[in-house]
């Protein structure tokens, strides 16, 4: 059964991971933790893979429901001016790159969806590359649920064939974030391996040529395709972002991901698939959850402003989110190994489950400082 093993970290592990470009291994003190690993049985990995595929399909059904009915935009705090653009994006089947389902799973009960990081999921480099190199050195006889790198290249190749947008792809992140920059550089490298010509510029440096109605880079070259590690909800509320409503540019992630990166999705899924074994009850109002709930901001990041209220505990994570509204979800009992609360981050690339990354924290709320721990299976 799934377990956490205490192991010896590699000698000089810091220099080993830095050699493959992983320089933010110690943000918050200890981020990359290879003094432990999570070990699964093959059947458990197969279950997680199957559940991930099911959840992905359910999320696409939820988008179709929300677009078709038009009744959910207010509850998800989607600005009115963006709604027709979201619907157009969905009807045009604009492609997506990736996403990460955070699951509660203890090896005994069905995995439960905690939330879907559908727009700007970080830790993809750690999951795709860093833990893979760890496996080859430390557990070469074992396997790892991890085809993220190969599937990213495959998905980029599919995108490349949409020639109407050209073969140049711009990548952006916030200037001051080392983690975001290196994550984007990794994704940029996979795109180059697929055949794209790429360029990087910080989000703050993206320009707008009003006369030509085009977004431009620092060389004043038109931007036809843009991957931004920058949340959609921030972008559409920036004055600059309003030009996206009229400018023609392929966005990654696409507009319709606004509906999936919103934690109100949890309540929509429960409404659409009540009592599904891989969902937790979730509502836009706490009244139905009489035995306690987890309150999450509709638009939130890295566990900020999450509050757990049960008869046994009250736990709150600080932050600046919540003004747009909240969703209320039944508590999930995270597996706890020697004080480490573990969450399975299960990746989708394109339409396919692609691998997992394990995060753990001293509390039941997974935050940006939560540790990444490698995994393997027999």
């Amino acid at each position: 059964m799934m377990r956490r093993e205490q192991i010896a970290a590699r000698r000089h592990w810091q220099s080993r991971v830095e050699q493959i470009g992983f320089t933010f291994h110690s943000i918050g003190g200890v981020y990359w933790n290879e003094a432990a690993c999570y070990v699964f049985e093959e059947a458990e990995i197969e279950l997680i893979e199957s559940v991930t595929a099911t959840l992905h399909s359910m999320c696409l059904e939820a988008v179709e429901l929300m677009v078709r009915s038009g009744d959910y935009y207010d509850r998800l705090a989607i600005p009115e001016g963006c709604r027709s653009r979201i619907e157009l994006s969905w009807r045009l089947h604009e492609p997506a790159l990736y996403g990460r389902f955070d699951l509660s799973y203890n090896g005994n009960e069905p995995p439960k969806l905690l939330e879907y990081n559908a727009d700007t999921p970080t830790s993809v480099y750690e999951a795709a590359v860093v833990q893979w190199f760890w496996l080859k050195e430390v557990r070469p006889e074992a396997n790892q649920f991890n085809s993220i790198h190969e599937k990213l290249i495959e998905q980029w190749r599919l995108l490349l064939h949409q020639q109407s947008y050209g073969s140049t792809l711009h990548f952006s992140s916030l200037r001051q974030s080392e983690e975001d920059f290196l994550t984007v550089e990794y994704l940029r490298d996979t795109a180059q391996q697929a055949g794209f010509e790429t360029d990087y510029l910080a989000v703050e440096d993206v320009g707008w040529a009003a006369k030509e109605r085009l977004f431009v880079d620092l060389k004043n070259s038109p931007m036809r395709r843009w991957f931004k590690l920058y949340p959609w909800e921030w972008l559409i509320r920036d004055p600059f972002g309003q030009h996206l409503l009229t400018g023609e540019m392929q966005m990654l992630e696409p507009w319709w991901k606004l509906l999936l990166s919103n934690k109100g999705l949890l309540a929509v899924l429960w409404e659409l698939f009540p009592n599904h074994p891989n969902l937790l009850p979730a509502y836009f109002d706490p009244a139905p959850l009489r035995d306690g709930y987890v309150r999450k901001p509709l638009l939130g990041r890295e566990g900020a402003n999450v509050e757990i209220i049960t008869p046994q505990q009250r736990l709150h994570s600080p932050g600046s989110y919540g003004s747009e509204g909240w969703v209320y979800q039944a508590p999930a009992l995270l597996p706890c190994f020697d004080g480490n609360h573990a969450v399975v981050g299960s990746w989708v690339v394109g339409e396919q489950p692609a691998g997992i990354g394990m995060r753990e924290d001293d509390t039941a709320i997974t935050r940006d400082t939560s540790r990444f721990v490698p995994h393997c299976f027999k």
Side-chain angles (χ1 to χ4, degrees):
M1 191 177 74
M2 169 192 176
R3 64 187 184 276
R4 184 183 190 273
E5 291 186 0
Q6 292 285 132
I7 60 174
R10 290 170 292 176
R11 187 181 180 191
H12 306 306
W13 65 264
Q14 295 93 336
S15 61
R16 289 175 181 267
V17 298
E18 287 171 5
Q19 286 172 2
I20 58 173
F22 185 45
T23 57
F24 57 95
H25 50 71
S26 299
I27 56 173
V30 177
Y31 173 58
W32 169 261
N33 178 21
E34 61 172 66
C37 70
Y38 283 89
V39 182
F40 294 82
E41 299 296 330
E42 185 174 12
E44 295 171 328
I45 292 296
E46 291 174 348
L47 174 62
I48 292 171
E49 183 177 18
S50 174
V51 167
T52 301
T54 298
L55 290 171
H56 176 67
S57 177
M58 291 163 60
C59 285
L60 297 183
E61 287 190 49
V63 175
E64 175 63 27
L65 168 69
M66 288 186 276
V67 167
R68 186 175 65 249
S69 72
D71 295 335
Y72 293 87
Y73 293 123
D74 288 337
R75 281 189 278 179
L76 270 60
I78 302 292
E80 189 171 348
C82 298
R83 299 174 186 183
S84 62
R85 190 63 187 82
I86 290 171
E87 292 167 3
L88 177 63
S89 172
W90 178 247
R91 294 191 186 106
L92 291 176
H93 305 289
E94 291 184 339
L97 180 65
Y98 66 161
R100 191 189 75 237
F101 291 101
D102 286 348
L103 308 173
S104 171
Y105 179 60
N106 58 16
N108 286 319
E109 300 169 295
K112 300 284 189 181
L113 175 63
L114 300 173
E115 62 185 56
Y116 184 23
N117 298 275
D119 180 24
T120 59
T122 48
S123 78
V124 65
Y125 181 61
E126 299 91 294
V129 176
V130 184
Q131 68 170 344
W132 180 255
F133 276 88
W134 168 89
L135 180 79
K136 296 295 103 179
E137 287 195 25
V138 178
R139 295 286 174 95
E141 77 289 351
N143 291 313
Q144 191 174 86
F145 180 26
N146 187 3
S147 59
I148 300 170
H149 184 81
E150 296 80 6
K151 284 187 168 66
L152 283 169
I153 295 173
E154 178 185 337
Q155 185 65 7
W156 285 127
R157 285 178 178 146
L158 291 174
L159 290 167
L160 182 61
H161 293 152
Q162 298 177 339
Q163 292 295 340
S164 60
Y165 290 101
S167 61
T168 300
L169 179 60
H170 287 82
F171 286 80
S172 296
S173 62
L174 287 171
R175 184 179 288 112
Q176 298 301 320
S177 175
E178 178 189 16
E179 178 185 1
D180 287 1
F181 172 73
L182 292 174
T183 298
V184 165
E185 283 295 279
Y186 165 64
L187 292 170
R188 182 183 169 196
D189 177 68
T190 60
Q192 289 173 338
Q193 291 185 53
F196 271 106
E197 298 173 17
T198 70
D199 201 354
Y200 174 86
L201 71 165
V203 171
E204 297 93 331
D205 291 330
V206 175
W208 171 251
K211 185 177 179 180
E212 295 83 5
R213 304 195 66 76
L214 289 172
F215 288 92
V216 293
D217 62 17
L218 289 172
K219 293 174 285 191
N220 215 34
S221 299
M223 295 173 60
R224 304 291 186 184
R225 289 173 152 172
W226 187 28
F227 176 92
K228 85 283 180 296
L229 196 67
Y230 186 74
W232 262 115
E233 65 266 21
W234 296 358
L235 190 58
I236 60 177
R237 286 167 173 79
D238 291 343
F240 166 86
Q242 295 301 307
H243 298 305
L244 289 167
L245 292 168
T246 55
E248 293 186 8
M249 182 163 59
Q250 184 184 42
M251 299 294 297
L252 290 163
E253 293 295 284
W255 277 92
W256 55 266
K257 278 291 189 83
L258 271 160
L259 301 176
L260 295 185
S261 61
N262 189 303
K263 291 182 179 61
L265 169 71
L266 301 170
V268 177
L269 286 172
W270 187 252
E271 181 180 322
L272 190 57
F273 303 99
N275 302 311
H276 191 281
N278 302 124
L279 297 178
L280 294 162
Y283 306 91
F284 291 102
D285 184 281
L289 299 170
R290 296 184 178 87
D291 296 327
Y293 55 81
V294 180
R295 188 180 76 159
K296 299 179 178 182
L298 294 177
L299 305 175
R301 303 275 152 182
E302 302 285 3
N305 297 102
V306 171
E307 188 172 34
I308 301 175
I309 299 176
T310 70
Q312 293 76 34
Q313 66 173 333
R314 294 182 69 95
L315 188 62
H316 174 74
S317 179
S320 57
Y321 300 102
S323 60
E324 293 85 2
W326 307 87
V327 68
Y328 302 84
Q329 185 183 49
L333 188 62
L334 296 181
C336 187
F337 303 89
D338 299 322
N340 299 285
H341 299 79
V343 169
V344 178
S346 189
W347 290 88
V348 170
V349 177
E351 301 291 329
Q352 305 176 68
I356 63 171
M358 299 297 300
R359 299 287 300 277
E360 63 180 24
D361 199 277
D362 299 335
T363 76
I365 298 177
T366 305
R367 297 165 288 189
D368 55 351
T369 55
S370 298
R371 298 172 292 278
F372 189 104
V373 182
H375 83 279
C376 63
F377 73 90
K378 295 184 177 180

